[in-house]
Amino acid sequence: MKIITDTIEISTGGNPDLLDITPQVMRLLAATKLIRGSVTLFVIGSTAALTTFEYEPGLVKDMRDVYEKIAPVHKRYSHDETWGDANGYSHVRASLQGPSLTVPFEGGKLLLGTWQQVVLAEFDNRPRDRRVVAQFVGE
């Protein structure tokens, strides 16, 4: 059993940027030469999250609409009063979505559905440079 840790570096456009990072994860997996196991992905930062969904324009728009309904940008948040950075909604959205995701792999391929991609959700109110840690455990 091996453990290999690597990172994906990605620049975002700020809220609500939803980015398909599946190709980057697949490249990292190929470089490990591992055949079976799982990869745990973790985005560093409290205003971004990871998820999976069918990455197509209609669903990207739908997801943005859902995030706005759950934690509206123009609502008053106590966090904004604490720090004055007007990104309370970003923290709420990221906390609900979660910073990590685990994907199994077999035969050197991610076991994702036909229409399922790994998506980084940027919720902060400004562009950010993000690091996603990818930790592969397998053989």
Side-chain angles (χ1 to χ4, degrees):
M1 189 73 62
K2 289 185 181 178
I3 299 172
I4 301 170
T5 304
D6 208 336
T7 59
I8 297 168
E9 309 281 337
I10 191 162
S11 295
T12 72
N15 181 67
D17 206 358
L18 302 173
L19 304 167
D20 178 4
I21 64 168
T22 311
Q24 294 96 316
V25 177
M26 291 186 330
R27 278 195 292 278
L28 291 181
L29 174 56
T32 69
K33 307 281 194 234
L34 296 173
I35 302 301
R36 72 184 60 75
S38 63
V39 57
T40 298
L41 303 164
F42 180 85
V43 61
I44 297 174
S46 61
T47 56
L50 293 168
T51 189
T52 66
F53 62 78
E54 181 179 349
Y55 193 83
E56 57 85 16
L59 193 53
V60 169
K61 181 184 181 317
D62 292 339
M63 293 301 296
R64 288 177 175 147
D65 291 346
V66 166
Y67 292 131
E68 183 60 25
K69 287 177 183 166
I70 291 171
V73 171
H74 299 294
K75 180 188 176 299
R76 182 184 152 277
Y77 293 89
S78 297
H79 173 78
D80 298 338
E81 293 175 15
T82 302
W83 299 109
D85 51 6
N87 71 348
Y89 70 92
S90 305
H91 290 276
V92 170
R93 291 176 183 188
S95 293
L96 290 172
Q97 189 67 63
S100 65
L101 180 69
T102 301
V103 180
F105 59 89
E106 183 69 42
K109 306 279 187 211
L110 296 173
L111 295 178
L112 294 169
T114 303
W115 308 114
Q116 185 178 30
Q117 286 80 39
V118 177
V119 178
L120 170 69
E122 175 62 72
F123 297 122
D124 211 347
N125 58 3
R126 62 185 176 89
R128 300 291 301 256
D129 291 326
R130 293 292 183 185
R131 284 184 48 213
V132 176
V133 177
Q135 188 166 70
F136 298 87
V137 178
E139 52 188 19

